[in-house]
Amino acid sequence: MNPVIRGPLYAVVPAAGVGQRMKAGIPKQYLTLAGKTITEHTLQRLLSFAPIESVVVAVSADDPWWPTLPVATHRRIHAVTGGESRADSVRNAVAQVLMDGGEDAWVLVHDMARPLVRLSDIQSLLAATTEQGAILGLPVVDTIKQAGADQRIEKTLDREFVWRALTPQLFPAAALYEALSGDLAAVTDEASAMERQGWRPALVAGHSDNIKITVPEDLPLARFYLARQFEEQGGL
Ligand SMILES: Nc1ccn([C@@H]2O[C@H](COP(=O)(O)OP(=O)(O)OP(=O)(O)O)[C@@H](O)[C@H]2O)c(=O)n1
Ligand SMILES: C[C@](O)(CO)[C@H](O)COP(=O)(O)O
């Protein structure tokens, strides 16, 4: 393991959302992808990554689906109650990591809605992290426009140094908990909370199939990518 990570490594998985943009009638993390729920895909991948001590999942207080999943009783899975926002949910889970793993623990925060994350990308993230953490991301390949309130172009942004943030995002648990203790309204990922503290996390290139299932057309896309990953691995 990277010597920067001096304590135990935990995964934190925010999974207390309602999936409004998916318009599926149930929270998107419980939709089925090739015979398993998105939740089962994501957790089975994290559980198969040996350096992870255990996985703390933030679920909604009134989530009736979570207790029905066999993975919910896995010995390396611990559920906590999520919060109003993704950041609140992550903070609740990191609090549990600090109780279980102590002040030296590190956390790998990964969206439940990203079931196709490659273990090789998680390995690259661990190998590349500095003391200031690291996140998976991808350099943008489109031209980037800034819009006005009237949805007309204000200006074209220089895309040379523009990346899309993905997850996992890797940070020391104690520092992340502290960073998530302020106003979280503008915090849509863990790195933005750390940046407010002056941290400059490393950006590690991931794969474009690490999609966040967000809108209806993402499900068939996820099915395509899952089949392609399966073929790449020789059907393993
Ligand atoms: N209060 C919240 C909101 C979101 N999440 C989780 O954060 C991840 C990324 O959030 P997003 O894709 O926005 O999921 P939802 O909030 O469910 O989607 P929507 O915004 O369409 O409702 C998801 O795994 C979601 O379950 C969470 O744990 N707690
Ligand atoms: C954390 C994240 O997946 C990085 O791109 C993204 O910010 C989550 O946004 P959401 O609106 O909570 O899905």
Side-chain angles (χ1 to χ4, degrees):
M1 179 96 94
N2 185 328
V4 162
I5 300 176
R6 284 184 287 275
L9 176 67
Y10 285 73
V12 157
V13 183
V18 296
Q20 201 169 8
R21 291 169 284 181
M22 199 69 195
K23 301 184 176 62
I26 67 167
K28 61 191 179 183
Q29 56 270 35
Y30 297 111
L31 295 175
T32 302
L33 183 60
K36 287 190 292 192
T37 61
I38 287 167
T39 292
E40 289 167 303
H41 280 285
T42 302
L43 293 181
Q44 281 162 8
R45 290 192 182 208
L46 294 176
L47 289 169
S48 68
F49 190 70
I52 290 174
E53 187 84 20
S54 67
V55 182
V56 181
V57 183
V59 296
S60 175
D62 56 357
D63 178 337
W65 297 279
W66 172 252
T68 67
L69 298 181
V71 71
T73 59
H74 190 286
R75 63 181 179 77
R76 287 167 59 216
I77 296 271
H78 188 133
V80 297
T81 302
E84 273 305 298
S85 71
R86 181 185 176 284
D88 292 317
S89 295
V90 170
R91 186 167 188 271
N92 291 354
V94 174
Q96 187 63 51
V97 168
L98 289 169
M99 281 188 275
D100 295 350
E103 289 296 309
D104 290 339
W106 278 62
V107 283
L108 194 74
V109 184
H110 184 60
D111 294 326
M112 190 67 92
R114 291 183 188 268
L116 301 178
V117 62
R118 295 166 183 246
L119 300 193
S120 55
D121 285 351
I122 299 178
Q123 185 55 46
S124 303
L125 185 69
L126 263 70
T129 193
T130 68
E131 291 79 3
Q132 297 203 17
I135 74 168
L136 284 185
L138 278 169
V140 297
V141 295
D142 303 301
T143 294
I144 304 295
K145 304 292 184 186
Q146 181 171 324
D150 58 359
Q151 203 171 303
R152 295 179 67 179
I153 295 173
E154 293 282 312
K155 63 179 174 181
T156 296
L157 301 178
D158 177 357
R159 72 179 186 189
E160 189 182 355
F161 297 105
V162 177
W163 284 53
R164 292 192 291 124
L166 307 175
T167 70
Q169 303 198 2
L170 177 61
F171 294 105
L176 179 58
Y177 186 78
E178 179 64 29
L180 291 173
S181 302
D183 173 12
L184 300 178
V187 172
T188 55
D189 73 341
E190 288 64 57
S192 51
M194 302 306 286
E195 292 156 42
R196 290 194 314 194
Q197 309 287 329
W199 288 44
R200 297 189 65 239
L203 280 158
V204 178
H207 280 77
S208 56
D209 57 4
N210 180 11
I211 63 171
K212 179 166 66 74
I213 294 177
T214 306
V215 292
E217 55 262 34
D218 292 331
L219 210 50
L221 186 58
R223 289 196 185 99
F224 164 77
Y225 280 142
L226 184 62
R228 196 175 71 154
Q229 287 184 353
F230 192 71
E231 279 164 25
E232 272 178 19
Q233 292 156 25
L236 295 180

